[in-house]
Amino acid sequence: MTTKLHEYDVAKHLRSREEMAAYLEAAIAESDGDAAFIAMALGDIARAKGMAELSRETGLGRESLYKALSADGNPQLSTVLKVAKALGLQLHIKPAA
């Protein structure tokens, strides 16, 4: 018997804003301050929506978005805010536990 493995792509499973928000919130909680980890999670959400559409809505180049929202990315706060807005998400700050 042969087992076939398939690459898992979380972007295919992020369908609603609520799912996207929960995924990003979990990534932030698990990141331990690793900005690249958070950028990569935001990139997953961006791919779920579609980079071309996100590029149009943010006014940022598609390649720039791919680069900024990758595991090696280090997006500026202005990029994160533009992407979040285009995704229909809001960032909130709350006191640490």
Coordinates of all heavy atoms in Angstrom, one line a residue:
M1 N 0.8 -1.2 0.0 CA 0.0 0.0 0.0 C 0.9 1.2 0.0 O 1.8 1.4 0.8 CB -0.9 0.0 1.2 CG -1.7 1.2 1.3 SD -2.6 1.3 2.9 CE -4.3 1.2 2.3
T2 N 0.6 2.2 -0.9 CA 1.4 3.4 -1.0 C 0.5 4.5 -0.4 O -0.7 4.7 -0.7 CB 1.7 3.7 -2.5 OG1 2.4 2.6 -3.0 CG2 2.5 4.9 -2.6
T3 N 1.2 5.4 0.4 CA 0.5 6.5 1.0 C 0.9 7.7 0.2 O 2.1 8.0 -0.1 CB 0.9 6.7 2.4 OG1 0.6 5.5 3.2 CG2 0.2 7.9 3.0
K4 N -0.1 8.5 -0.3 CA 0.2 9.7 -1.0 C 0.1 10.9 -0.1 O -0.9 11.0 0.7 CB -0.8 9.9 -2.1 CG -0.3 9.5 -3.5 CD -1.3 10.0 -4.5 CE -0.7 9.8 -5.9 NZ -1.6 10.2 -6.9
L5 N 1.1 11.7 -0.1 CA 1.1 12.9 0.7 C 0.8 14.1 -0.2 O 1.2 14.2 -1.3 CB 2.4 13.1 1.4 CG 2.9 12.0 2.3 CD1 4.2 12.3 2.9 CD2 1.9 11.9 3.5
H6 N 0.0 15.0 0.4 CA -0.4 16.3 -0.3 C 0.1 17.4 0.5 O -0.1 17.4 1.7 CB -1.9 16.4 -0.6 CG -2.4 15.3 -1.4 ND1 -2.3 15.3 -2.8 CD2 -3.0 14.1 -1.1 CE1 -2.8 14.2 -3.3 NE2 -3.2 13.4 -2.3
E7 N 0.6 18.5 -0.1 CA 1.0 19.6 0.6 C -0.2 20.4 1.1 O -1.2 20.6 0.4 CB 1.8 20.6 -0.3 CG 2.5 21.7 0.4 CD 3.5 22.4 -0.4 OE1 4.2 21.8 -1.2 OE2 3.5 23.7 -0.3
Y8 N -0.2 20.7 2.4 CA -1.3 21.4 3.0 C -1.2 22.9 2.8 O -0.1 23.5 3.0 CB -1.4 21.1 4.5 CG -2.6 21.8 5.2 CD1 -3.8 21.3 5.1 CD2 -2.4 23.0 5.9 CE1 -4.9 21.9 5.7 CE2 -3.4 23.6 6.5 CZ -4.7 23.1 6.4 OH -5.7 23.7 7.0
D9 N -2.2 23.6 2.3 CA -2.2 25.0 2.1 C -3.3 25.7 2.9 O -4.5 25.5 2.5 CB -2.3 25.4 0.6 CG -2.2 26.9 0.3 OD1 -1.9 27.6 1.3 OD2 -2.3 27.2 -0.9
V10 N -3.0 26.3 4.0 CA -4.0 26.9 4.8 C -4.9 27.9 4.1 O -6.0 28.1 4.4 CB -3.4 27.4 6.1 CG1 -2.6 28.7 5.8 CG2 -4.4 27.7 7.2
A11 N -4.3 28.6 3.1 CA -5.0 29.6 2.4 C -6.3 29.0 1.7 O -7.3 29.8 1.6 CB -4.1 30.2 1.3
K12 N -6.3 27.8 1.4 CA -7.5 27.2 0.8 C -8.6 27.0 1.8 O -9.7 26.7 1.4 CB -7.1 25.8 0.2 CG -6.2 26.0 -1.0 CD -5.8 24.6 -1.6 CE -4.8 24.8 -2.7 NZ -4.4 23.5 -3.3
H13 N -8.3 27.1 3.1 CA -9.3 26.9 4.1 C -9.8 28.1 4.9 O -10.6 28.0 5.8 CB -8.8 25.8 5.1 CG -8.3 24.6 4.4 ND1 -9.2 23.6 4.1 CD2 -7.1 24.2 4.0 CE1 -8.6 22.6 3.5 NE2 -7.3 22.9 3.4
L14 N -9.2 29.3 4.5 CA -9.6 30.5 5.1 C -10.7 31.2 4.2 O -10.4 31.9 3.2 CB -8.4 31.4 5.3 CG -7.3 30.9 6.2 CD1 -6.1 31.8 6.1 CD2 -7.8 30.8 7.6
R15 N -11.9 31.0 4.5 CA -13.0 31.4 3.6 C -13.7 32.7 4.1 O -14.2 33.4 3.3 CB -14.0 30.3 3.5 CG -13.4 29.1 2.8 CD -14.4 27.9 2.6 NE -13.7 26.8 2.0 CZ -13.4 25.7 2.8 NH1 -13.6 25.7 4.1 NH2 -12.8 24.7 2.2
S16 N -13.8 32.9 5.4 CA -14.6 34.0 5.9 C -13.6 35.0 6.6 O -12.5 34.6 7.1 CB -15.7 33.6 6.8 OG -15.1 33.0 8.0
R17 N -14.1 36.2 6.8 CA -13.3 37.1 7.6 C -13.1 36.6 9.0 O -12.1 36.9 9.6 CB -14.0 38.5 7.6 CG -13.8 39.3 6.3 CD -14.3 40.6 6.4 NE -15.7 40.6 6.9 CZ -16.5 41.7 7.0 NH1 -16.0 42.9 6.8 NH2 -17.7 41.6 7.4
E18 N -14.1 35.9 9.6 CA -14.0 35.4 10.9 C -12.9 34.4 11.0 O -12.1 34.4 12.0 CB -15.4 34.8 11.4 CG -16.5 35.9 11.6 CD -17.1 36.4 10.3 OE1 -17.0 35.7 9.2 OE2 -17.7 37.5 10.3
E19 N -12.8 33.5 10.0 CA -11.8 32.5 10.0 C -10.4 33.1 9.8 O -9.4 32.7 10.5 CB -12.0 31.5 8.9 CG -13.2 30.6 9.1 CD -13.5 29.7 7.8 OE1 -13.2 30.1 6.7 OE2 -14.1 28.7 8.0
M20 N -10.3 34.2 9.0 CA -9.1 34.9 8.8 C -8.6 35.6 10.1 O -7.5 35.5 10.4 CB -9.2 35.9 7.6 CG -9.4 35.3 6.3 SD -9.8 36.5 5.0 CE -10.1 35.5 3.6
A21 N -9.6 36.2 10.7 CA -9.3 36.9 12.0 C -8.8 35.9 13.1 O -7.8 36.2 13.8 CB -10.5 37.7 12.5
A22 N -9.5 34.8 13.2 CA -9.1 33.8 14.2 C -7.7 33.3 13.9 O -6.9 33.1 14.8 CB -10.1 32.7 14.2
Y23 N -7.4 33.0 12.6 CA -6.1 32.5 12.2 C -5.0 33.5 12.5 O -4.0 33.2 13.1 CB -6.1 32.2 10.7 CG -4.8 31.7 10.2 CD1 -4.3 30.4 10.5 CD2 -4.0 32.4 9.3 CE1 -3.1 29.9 10.0 CE2 -2.8 32.0 8.8 CZ -2.4 30.7 9.2 OH -1.2 30.2 8.7
L24 N -5.2 34.8 12.2 CA -4.2 35.8 12.5 C -4.0 36.0 14.0 O -2.9 36.1 14.5 CB -4.6 37.1 11.8 CG -3.5 38.2 11.9 CD1 -2.2 37.8 11.4 CD2 -4.0 39.5 11.2
E25 N -5.1 36.0 14.7 CA -5.1 36.1 16.2 C -4.3 35.0 16.8 O -3.4 35.2 17.7 CB -6.5 36.2 16.8 CG -6.5 36.6 18.2 CD -7.9 36.8 18.8 OE1 -8.8 36.9 18.0 OE2 -8.0 36.9 20.0
A26 N -4.5 33.8 16.3 CA -3.7 32.6 16.8 C -2.3 32.7 16.5 O -1.4 32.4 17.3 CB -4.3 31.3 16.3
A27 N -2.0 33.2 15.3 CA -0.6 33.4 14.8 C 0.1 34.4 15.7 O 1.3 34.2 16.1 CB -0.5 33.8 13.4
I28 N -0.5 35.5 16.0 CA 0.0 36.5 16.9 C 0.3 36.0 18.3 O 1.4 36.2 18.8 CB -0.8 37.8 16.9 CG1 -0.8 38.5 15.6 CG2 -0.4 38.7 18.0 CD1 -1.9 39.6 15.4
A29 N -0.6 35.2 18.8 CA -0.5 34.6 20.1 C 0.7 33.6 20.2 O 1.4 33.5 21.2 CB -1.8 33.9 20.5
E30 N 0.9 32.9 19.1 CA 1.9 31.8 19.0 C 3.2 32.4 18.6 O 4.2 31.7 18.7 CB 1.5 30.7 18.1 CG 0.3 29.9 18.6 CD 0.5 29.2 19.9 OE1 1.6 28.6 20.0 OE2 -0.3 29.2 20.8
S31 N 3.3 33.6 18.1 CA 4.5 34.1 17.5 C 5.7 34.4 18.4 O 6.8 34.4 18.0 CB 4.2 35.4 16.7 OG 4.0 36.4 17.7
D32 N 5.4 34.6 19.7 CA 6.4 34.9 20.6 C 7.3 36.1 20.1 O 8.5 36.2 20.3 CB 7.3 33.7 20.9 CG 8.2 33.9 22.2 OD1 7.7 34.6 23.1 OD2 9.3 33.4 22.3
G33 N 6.6 37.1 19.5 CA 7.2 38.3 19.0 C 8.0 38.2 17.7 O 8.7 39.1 17.3
D34 N 7.8 37.0 17.0 CA 8.5 36.8 15.7 C 7.7 37.5 14.6 O 6.7 37.0 14.2 CB 8.6 35.3 15.5 CG 9.3 35.0 14.2 OD1 9.7 35.9 13.4 OD2 9.6 33.8 14.0
A35 N 8.1 38.6 14.2 CA 7.4 39.4 13.2 C 7.3 38.7 11.8 O 6.3 38.8 11.2 CB 8.1 40.8 12.9
A36 N 8.3 37.9 11.5 CA 8.2 37.1 10.2 C 7.1 36.1 10.3 O 6.5 35.8 9.3 CB 9.6 36.5 10.0
F37 N 6.9 35.5 11.4 CA 5.8 34.5 11.6 C 4.5 35.1 11.4 O 3.6 34.6 10.7 CB 5.9 33.9 13.0 CG 5.0 32.7 13.2 CD1 5.3 31.4 12.8 CD2 3.8 32.9 13.9 CE1 4.4 30.4 13.0 CE2 2.9 31.9 14.1 CZ 3.2 30.6 13.7
I38 N 4.3 36.3 11.9 CA 3.0 37.0 11.8 C 2.9 37.5 10.3 O 1.8 37.4 9.7 CB 3.0 38.3 12.7 CG1 3.0 37.8 14.2 CG2 1.8 39.1 12.4 CD1 3.3 38.9 15.2
A39 N 3.9 38.0 9.7 CA 3.9 38.4 8.3 C 3.5 37.2 7.4 O 2.7 37.3 6.5 CB 5.2 38.9 7.8
M40 N 4.1 36.0 7.7 CA 3.7 34.8 6.9 C 2.2 34.4 7.1 O 1.6 34.1 6.1 CB 4.6 33.6 7.3 CG 4.6 32.5 6.4 SD 5.8 31.2 6.8 CE 5.2 30.6 8.3
A41 N 1.7 34.5 8.3 CA 0.3 34.3 8.5 C -0.6 35.3 7.8 O -1.6 34.9 7.1 CB 0.0 34.3 10.0
L42 N -0.2 36.5 7.8 CA -0.9 37.5 7.0 C -0.8 37.2 5.5 O -1.8 37.4 4.8 CB -0.4 38.9 7.3 CG -1.2 40.1 6.9 CD1 -2.6 40.0 7.4 CD2 -0.6 41.4 7.3
G43 N 0.3 36.7 5.1 CA 0.5 36.3 3.7 C -0.4 35.2 3.3 O -1.0 35.1 2.2
D44 N -0.6 34.2 4.2 CA -1.6 33.1 4.0 C -3.0 33.6 3.8 O -3.7 33.2 2.9 CB -1.6 32.1 5.2 CG -0.3 31.3 5.4 OD1 0.4 31.2 4.4 OD2 -0.1 30.9 6.5
I45 N -3.4 34.6 4.6 CA -4.7 35.2 4.5 C -4.8 36.0 3.2 O -5.8 35.9 2.5 CB -5.0 36.1 5.7 CG1 -5.0 35.3 7.0 CG2 -6.3 36.9 5.5 CD1 -5.0 36.1 8.3
A46 N -3.7 36.7 2.8 CA -3.8 37.5 1.6 C -3.9 36.5 0.4 O -4.7 36.8 -0.5 CB -2.5 38.3 1.5
R47 N -3.2 35.4 0.4 CA -3.4 34.4 -0.7 C -4.8 33.9 -0.7 O -5.3 33.6 -1.8 CB -2.3 33.3 -0.6 CG -0.9 33.7 -0.9 CD 0.1 32.6 -1.0 NE 0.2 31.9 0.3 CZ -0.3 30.7 0.5 NH1 -1.0 30.0 -0.4 NH2 -0.2 30.1 1.7
A48 N -5.4 33.7 0.4 CA -6.8 33.2 0.4 C -7.7 34.2 -0.3 O -8.6 33.7 -1.0 CB -7.2 33.0 1.9
K49 N -7.5 35.4 -0.1 CA -8.3 36.4 -0.8 C -7.9 36.6 -2.2 O -8.8 36.8 -3.1 CB -8.2 37.8 -0.1 CG -9.1 38.8 -0.7 CD -9.3 40.0 0.1 CE -10.2 41.0 -0.7 NZ -10.7 42.1 0.1
G50 N -6.6 36.5 -2.5 CA -6.1 36.6 -3.9 C -5.2 37.8 -3.9 O -5.7 39.0 -3.7
M51 N -4.0 37.6 -4.3 CA -3.0 38.7 -4.3 C -3.3 39.7 -5.3 O -3.1 40.9 -5.1 CB -1.6 38.1 -4.5 CG -1.0 37.4 -3.3 SD -0.7 38.6 -2.0 CE 0.4 37.6 -1.0
A52 N -3.8 39.4 -6.5 CA -4.1 40.4 -7.5 C -5.2 41.3 -7.0 O -5.0 42.6 -7.2 CB -4.6 39.7 -8.8
E53 N -6.2 40.8 -6.4 CA -7.3 41.6 -5.9 C -6.8 42.5 -4.7 O -7.1 43.7 -4.7 CB -8.5 40.8 -5.4 CG -9.6 41.6 -4.8 CD -10.8 40.7 -4.3 OE1 -10.8 39.5 -4.7 OE2 -11.6 41.2 -3.6
L54 N -6.0 41.9 -3.9 CA -5.4 42.7 -2.8 C -4.5 43.8 -3.2 O -4.5 44.9 -2.7 CB -4.6 41.7 -1.8 CG -4.3 42.2 -0.5 CD1 -5.5 42.6 0.3 CD2 -3.5 41.2 0.3
S55 N -3.7 43.5 -4.3 CA -2.8 44.5 -4.9 C -3.6 45.7 -5.4 O -3.3 46.8 -5.2 CB -2.1 43.9 -6.0 OG -1.3 44.8 -6.7
R56 N -4.8 45.4 -6.1 CA -5.6 46.5 -6.5 C -6.2 47.3 -5.4 O -6.2 48.6 -5.4 CB -6.8 46.0 -7.4 CG -6.4 45.6 -8.8 CD -7.6 45.3 -9.6 NE -8.5 44.2 -9.1 CZ -8.3 42.9 -9.3 NH1 -7.2 42.5 -10.0 NH2 -9.1 42.0 -8.8
E57 N -6.6 46.7 -4.3 CA -7.3 47.3 -3.2 C -6.3 48.1 -2.4 O -6.7 49.1 -1.8 CB -8.0 46.3 -2.4 CG -9.3 45.8 -3.1 CD -10.0 44.8 -2.2 OE1 -9.9 44.9 -0.9 OE2 -10.8 43.9 -2.7
T58 N -5.1 47.7 -2.3 CA -4.1 48.4 -1.4 C -3.2 49.4 -2.2 O -2.6 50.2 -1.6 CB -3.1 47.4 -0.8 OG1 -2.4 46.7 -1.8 CG2 -3.9 46.4 0.2
G59 N -3.2 49.2 -3.5 CA -2.3 50.1 -4.3 C -0.8 49.6 -4.3 O 0.0 50.3 -4.7
L60 N -0.6 48.4 -3.7 CA 0.8 47.9 -3.6 C 1.0 46.9 -4.7 O 0.0 46.1 -5.0 CB 1.0 47.3 -2.2 CG 0.7 48.2 -1.0 CD1 0.7 47.4 0.3 CD2 1.8 49.2 -1.0
G61 N 2.2 46.7 -5.2 CA 2.5 45.8 -6.2 C 2.3 44.3 -5.7 O 2.6 44.1 -4.5
R62 N 1.9 43.5 -6.6 CA 1.7 42.1 -6.2 C 3.0 41.4 -5.7 O 3.0 40.7 -4.7 CB 1.1 41.3 -7.4 CG 0.2 40.2 -7.1 CD -0.4 39.7 -8.3 NE 0.6 39.3 -9.3 CZ 0.7 38.1 -9.9 NH1 -0.2 37.2 -9.6 NH2 1.6 37.9 -10.7
E63 N 4.1 41.7 -6.5 CA 5.4 41.1 -6.1 C 5.8 41.7 -4.7 O 6.4 40.9 -3.9 CB 6.4 41.4 -7.1 CG 6.2 40.6 -8.4 CD 6.1 39.1 -8.2 OE1 7.0 38.5 -7.5 OE2 5.2 38.4 -8.8
S64 N 5.6 43.0 -4.5 CA 5.9 43.6 -3.2 C 5.1 42.9 -2.1 O 5.7 42.7 -1.0 CB 5.6 45.1 -3.2 OG 6.4 45.7 -4.2
L65 N 3.9 42.6 -2.3 CA 3.1 42.0 -1.3 C 3.6 40.5 -1.0 O 3.7 40.2 0.1 CB 1.6 41.9 -1.8 CG 0.8 43.2 -1.7 CD1 -0.5 43.0 -2.4 CD2 0.6 43.6 -0.3
Y66 N 3.9 39.8 -2.1 CA 4.4 38.4 -1.9 C 5.7 38.5 -1.0 O 5.9 37.7 -0.1 CB 4.7 37.8 -3.2 CG 3.5 37.0 -3.8 CD1 3.0 37.5 -5.0 CD2 3.0 35.9 -3.2 CE1 1.9 36.8 -5.6 CE2 1.9 35.2 -3.8 CZ 1.4 35.7 -4.9 OH 0.3 35.0 -5.5
K67 N 6.6 39.4 -1.3 CA 7.8 39.6 -0.6 C 7.6 40.0 0.8 O 8.2 39.4 1.7 CB 8.7 40.6 -1.3 CG 10.1 40.7 -0.7 CD 11.0 41.6 -1.5 CE 12.4 41.8 -0.8 NZ 13.2 42.7 -1.5
A68 N 6.8 41.0 1.0 CA 6.6 41.5 2.4 C 5.9 40.5 3.3 O 6.2 40.5 4.5 CB 5.8 42.8 2.3
L69 N 5.0 39.7 2.7 CA 4.2 38.8 3.5 C 4.7 37.4 3.4 O 3.9 36.4 3.5 CB 2.7 38.9 3.0 CG 2.1 40.3 3.1 CD1 0.7 40.3 2.6 CD2 2.2 40.9 4.5
S70 N 6.0 37.2 3.2 CA 6.6 35.9 3.2 C 7.3 35.6 4.5 O 7.4 36.5 5.4 CB 7.6 35.8 2.1 OG 8.7 36.6 2.4
A71 N 7.8 34.4 4.7 CA 8.6 34.0 5.9 C 9.8 34.9 6.1 O 10.2 35.1 7.2 CB 9.0 32.6 5.8
D72 N 10.3 35.4 5.0 CA 11.5 36.3 5.1 C 11.1 37.8 5.1 O 12.0 38.7 5.1 CB 12.4 36.1 3.9 CG 13.0 34.7 3.9 OD1 13.2 34.1 5.0 OD2 13.2 34.1 2.8
G73 N 9.8 38.1 5.0 CA 9.4 39.4 4.9 C 9.4 40.2 6.2 O 9.5 39.6 7.3
N74 N 9.5 41.5 6.1 CA 9.5 42.4 7.2 C 8.7 43.6 6.8 O 9.3 44.7 6.6 CB 10.9 42.7 7.6 CG 11.0 43.5 8.9 OD1 10.0 43.5 9.7 ND2 12.1 44.1 9.2
P75 N 7.4 43.5 6.7 CA 6.6 44.6 6.2 C 6.5 45.8 7.1 O 6.6 45.6 8.3 CB 5.2 43.9 6.0 CG 5.1 42.8 7.0 CD 6.5 42.3 7.1
Q76 N 6.4 46.9 6.5 CA 6.2 48.1 7.3 C 4.8 48.1 7.9 O 3.9 47.5 7.4 CB 6.4 49.4 6.4 CG 7.8 49.5 5.9 CD 7.9 50.8 5.1 OE1 6.9 51.4 4.7 NE2 9.1 51.2 4.8
L77 N 4.6 48.8 9.0 CA 3.3 48.9 9.7 C 2.3 49.4 8.7 O 1.2 48.9 8.7 CB 3.4 49.7 10.9 CG 2.1 49.8 11.7 CD1 1.6 48.5 12.1 CD2 2.3 50.7 12.9
S78 N 2.7 50.4 7.8 CA 1.7 50.9 6.9 C 1.2 49.8 5.9 O 0.0 49.8 5.5 CB 2.3 52.1 6.1 OG 3.4 51.7 5.4
T79 N 2.1 48.9 5.5 CA 1.7 47.8 4.7 C 0.7 46.9 5.4 O -0.3 46.5 4.8 CB 2.9 47.0 4.2 OG1 3.8 47.9 3.5 CG2 2.5 45.8 3.3
V80 N 1.1 46.5 6.6 CA 0.2 45.7 7.4 C -1.2 46.3 7.6 O -2.2 45.6 7.4 CB 0.8 45.4 8.8 CG1 -0.2 44.6 9.7 CG2 2.1 44.6 8.7
L81 N -1.2 47.6 7.8 CA -2.5 48.2 8.0 C -3.3 48.3 6.7 O -4.6 48.0 6.7 CB -2.3 49.6 8.6 CG -1.8 49.7 10.0 CD1 -1.5 51.2 10.4 CD2 -2.7 49.0 11.0
K82 N -2.7 48.5 5.6 CA -3.4 48.5 4.3 C -3.9 47.2 4.0 O -5.1 47.0 3.5 CB -2.4 49.0 3.2 CG -2.2 50.5 3.1 CD -1.2 50.8 2.0 CE -0.8 52.2 2.0 NZ 0.1 52.6 0.9
V83 N -3.1 46.1 4.2 CA -3.5 44.8 3.9 C -4.7 44.4 4.8 O -5.7 43.8 4.4 CB -2.3 43.8 4.1 CG1 -2.8 42.3 4.0 CG2 -1.3 44.0 3.0
A84 N -4.6 44.7 6.1 CA -5.7 44.3 7.0 C -7.0 45.0 6.6 O -8.0 44.3 6.6 CB -5.3 44.7 8.5
K85 N -6.9 46.3 6.3 CA -8.1 47.0 5.8 C -8.7 46.3 4.6 O -9.9 46.1 4.5 CB -7.8 48.5 5.6 CG -9.0 49.3 5.2 CD -8.6 50.7 5.0 CE -9.9 51.5 4.6 NZ -9.6 52.9 4.4
A86 N -7.9 46.0 3.6 CA -8.4 45.4 2.4 C -9.0 44.0 2.6 O -9.8 43.6 1.9 CB -7.2 45.3 1.4
L87 N -8.5 43.4 3.7 CA -9.0 42.0 4.0 C -10.3 42.1 4.9 O -10.9 41.1 5.2 CB -8.0 41.2 4.8 CG -6.7 40.8 3.9 CD1 -5.7 40.2 4.9 CD2 -7.1 39.8 2.9
G88 N -10.6 43.3 5.3 CA -11.8 43.5 6.1 C -11.5 43.2 7.6 O -12.4 42.8 8.3
L89 N -10.2 43.3 8.0 CA -9.8 43.0 9.3 C -9.4 44.3 10.0 O -9.0 45.3 9.4 CB -8.7 42.0 9.3 CG -8.9 40.7 8.6 CD1 -7.7 39.9 8.6 CD2 -10.0 39.9 9.4
Q90 N -9.5 44.3 11.3 CA -9.0 45.5 12.1 C -8.0 44.9 13.2 O -8.2 43.9 13.7 CB -10.1 46.2 12.9 CG -11.1 46.8 12.0 CD -12.3 47.4 12.8 OE1 -12.5 47.1 14.0 NE2 -13.0 48.4 12.2
L91 N -7.0 45.7 13.4 CA -6.0 45.4 14.5 C -6.4 46.1 15.8 O -6.9 47.2 15.8 CB -4.6 45.8 14.1 CG -4.1 45.2 12.8 CD1 -2.7 45.7 12.5 CD2 -4.0 43.7 12.9
H92 N -6.3 45.3 16.9 CA -6.7 45.9 18.2 C -5.6 45.6 19.2 O -4.9 44.6 19.0 CB -8.0 45.2 18.7 CG -9.2 45.5 17.9 ND1 -10.0 46.6 18.1 CD2 -9.7 44.9 16.9 CE1 -10.9 46.6 17.3 NE2 -10.8 45.6 16.5
I93 N -5.4 46.4 20.1 CA -4.4 46.2 21.2 C -5.2 46.1 22.5 O -6.2 46.8 22.8 CB -3.5 47.4 21.3 CG1 -2.8 47.7 20.0 CG2 -2.5 47.2 22.4 CD1 -1.8 46.6 19.5
K94 N -4.8 45.1 23.3 CA -5.4 45.0 24.6 C -4.3 44.7 25.6 O -3.2 44.3 25.3 CB -6.4 43.8 24.6 CG -5.8 42.4 24.3 CD -6.9 41.4 24.3 CE -6.3 40.0 24.0 NZ -7.3 39.0 24.0
P95 N -4.5 45.0 26.9 CA -3.5 44.8 27.9 C -3.1 43.3 28.0 O -4.0 42.4 27.8 CB -4.2 45.2 29.2 CG -5.4 46.0 28.8 CD -5.8 45.5 27.4
A96 N -1.8 43.0 28.2 CA -1.4 41.7 28.3 C -1.9 41.0 29.6 O -2.1 41.7 30.6 CB 0.2 41.6 28.3
A97 N -2.1 39.8 29.5 CA -2.6 39.1 30.7 C -1.6 39.0 31.8 O -0.4 39.0 31.7 CB -3.0 37.6 30.3

